[in-house]
Amino acid sequence: MRLRKFIPYIFLAPAFSIFLIFIIYPGILGFIVSMYRTPYSFGPSTFVGFNNYFSVFKSPGFLESLERTFLFSALEIPTIYFISLGLALLMTSPSVKAKSVLRVFFFLPSVLSGVITALIWDWMLNYDFGFVNNLFTVLGLKNLPFLLNPNYAFISLVLIMSWAVSGFFMVIFIAGIQSIPTELYEAAEIDGASTLEKFAFITLPMLKPTSILVVILSTIQSMQLFDIPFVLTGGGPGEATTFAVEKVYNTAFINLNMGLASAMSFILFLIFLAIGILQFKVSREGQFLA
């Protein structure tokens, strides 16, 4: 009987060990490094306490990269939401044929790595020989510097990231739509409700928990953005697409200031944690009100 009490802990031990080794231990080590002016691996270190945390806000470009990250999230989250919801509605419509093939087609970008996605769009958006600009030439339009102009590059990243992940969120919305009782739609049809009215008064309210989940996951994904802009634009032109996580990377591995980079990481962690707690609180209140 005593052994049976420990069985759940035995099954939890592997997952907890991985969490301890790859999350907790690096986090503690990173916090220790953030207390030093120089990293251990690049020379003698000097203990400076919390001075690195104060220096973060004086670091050139950090606040701008953080502001850029929030702006990117503010544009990407609604874009992902409406695209994935639209695809889910399309994939659950009785009038659409070959749904299985279309679902695979829309979901496929979600399984590609960020590096592959960046390389594909680097070729697609190239100014001289990219597919998109070649298409513009055929249509008699001027080539656009998608990756050379700061505004174009920023908007291009929003659309590319939305393209890359909308298929994943489409699957979540499909599951939510399919869980809505069909009796509600049948009753609405008897009352003479139009398709738009059924969507507004049945589908959207019933998808509230699913919508909250999509918003939370897309927020986490957008705030941690690194691989695609790093490979596609390198943070440029200038620093137009340098986001917070890439700024930490540049500080650590280009400027070789591990202490300052670790302090940036912990500040980002606290910001992301606050956003996560806020979203979790809103989601619980929303489910309660629903």
Side-chain angles (χ1 to χ4, degrees):
M1 293 297 294
R2 291 182 178 179
L3 181 61
R4 293 184 62 181
K5 294 181 180 179
F6 292 98
I7 290 178
Y9 300 101
I10 294 174
F11 283 105
L12 286 174
F16 181 76
S17 300
I18 293 174
F19 181 77
L20 185 66
I21 294 171
F22 294 101
I23 303 295
I24 301 299
Y25 173 72
I28 295 173
L29 184 60
F31 181 74
I32 294 173
V33 171
S34 71
M35 296 291 179
Y36 288 82
R37 178 165 295 163
T38 56
Y40 301 122
S41 55
F42 295 101
S45 57
T46 303
F47 182 79
V48 294
F50 288 96
N51 285 346
N52 279 328
Y53 289 87
F54 299 123
S55 299
V56 165
F57 298 99
K58 300 177 183 178
S59 177
F62 177 73
L63 292 179
E64 289 79 1
S65 68
L66 192 59
E67 180 182 354
R68 208 173 291 122
T69 303
F70 282 116
L71 176 59
F72 178 85
S73 300
L75 293 175
E76 187 191 10
I77 293 168
T79 304
I80 290 174
Y81 180 87
F82 288 114
I83 291 177
S84 56
L85 178 58
L87 291 176
L89 293 172
L90 187 65
M91 291 298 97
T92 54
S93 174
S95 60
V96 176
K97 307 299 180 182
K99 293 179 183 178
S100 299
V101 176
L102 290 175
R103 287 180 183 180
V104 172
F105 177 77
F106 291 132
F107 183 75
L108 186 60
S110 301
V111 303
L112 299 177
S113 70
V115 174
I116 297 300
T117 299
L119 292 176
I120 290 173
W121 284 100
D122 184 40
W123 170 74
M124 293 278 286
L125 300 179
N126 186 277
Y127 182 80
D128 296 315
F129 55 82
F131 173 80
V132 176
N133 276 322
N134 283 340
L135 182 61
F136 285 173
T137 301
V138 172
L139 297 175
L141 302 174
K142 293 182 179 180
N143 289 11
L144 292 179
F146 291 105
L147 304 178
L148 304 175
N149 179 282
N151 295 327
Y152 286 154
F154 192 90
I155 297 300
S156 296
L157 274 177
V158 172
L159 297 177
I160 290 169
M161 288 301 303
S162 301
W163 172 84
V165 301
S166 290
F168 170 76
F169 294 111
M170 174 197 70
V171 174
I172 296 177
F173 271 123
I174 288 175
I177 292 172
Q178 291 178 340
S179 66
I180 300 175
T182 56
E183 293 82 1
L184 297 176
Y185 294 105
E186 293 171 357
E189 289 179 1
I190 293 174
D191 292 337
S194 64
T195 302
L196 183 59
E197 289 173 334
K198 287 188 287 186
F199 173 74
F201 296 106
I202 297 177
T203 306
L204 274 183
M206 295 298 293
L207 284 178
K208 189 173 183 180
T210 307
S211 298
I212 293 173
L213 175 63
V214 168
V215 169
I216 291 175
L217 294 179
S218 59
T219 300
I220 295 172
Q221 176 269 330
S222 63
M223 295 292 289
Q224 296 178 341
L225 179 64
F226 172 75
D227 50 357
I228 291 181
F230 181 77
V231 176
L232 184 61
T233 64
E239 289 194 346
T241 57
T242 301
F243 301 104
V245 176
E246 186 173 351
K247 188 65 178 179
V248 174
Y249 174 88
N250 292 338
T251 303
F253 299 106
I254 295 180
N255 299 331
L256 302 182
N257 193 337
M258 286 288 183
L260 185 62
S262 298
M264 288 180 177
S265 297
F266 267 84
I267 290 174
L268 289 178
F269 167 74
L270 294 176
I271 293 173
F272 297 163
L273 180 63
I275 293 174
I277 292 174
L278 178 62
Q279 289 184 327
F280 180 74
K281 183 178 179 181
V282 171
S283 67
R284 292 193 63 181
E285 291 179 353
Q287 290 177 359
F288 176 75
L289 293 174

